[in-house]
């Protein structure tokens, strides 16, 4: 995603954040959770642009997935 975002940013400037976040949301295909995933994608992309460190976004994404999986298991 970092490479793809870089290519979009060269061509689209600031709009790349919104488009790459939308593309990040599409594979998740959970209609109810689409907005929170999109917002997370925007936030992670902004942080990546600010710090230039993709690992922070990877870690936060993993933590988010872990929390969501835990909530799912606890809810069953």
């Amino acid at each position: 995603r970092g490479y793809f975002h870089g290519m979009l940013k060269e061509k689209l400037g600031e709009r790349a954040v919104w488009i790459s976040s939308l593309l990040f949301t599409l594979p998740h295909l959970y209609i109810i959770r689409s907005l929170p995933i999109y917002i997370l994608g925007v936030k992670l992309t902004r942080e990546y642009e600010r710090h230039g460190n993709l690992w922070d976004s990877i870690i936060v994404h993993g933590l988010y997935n872990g929390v969501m999986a835990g909530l799912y298991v606890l809810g069953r």
Side-chain angles (χ1 to χ4, degrees), residues 42 58 73:
V42 169
I58 292 169
V73 169

Side-chain angles (χ1 to χ4, degrees), residues 29-65:
L29 296 178
Y30 299 116
I31 293 175
I32 293 172
R33 289 187 255 164
S34 292
L35 184 59
I37 290 171
Y38 180 74
I39 292 169
L40 177 65
V42 169
K43 176 68 174 155
L44 293 178
T45 304
R46 293 267 189 217
E47 290 301 314
Y48 168 71
E49 286 185 342
R50 184 175 305 141
H51 300 288
N53 183 353
L54 191 57
W55 281 107
D56 293 343
S57 295
I58 292 169
I59 291 168
V60 171
H61 184 268
L63 289 171
Y64 177 82
N65 286 351

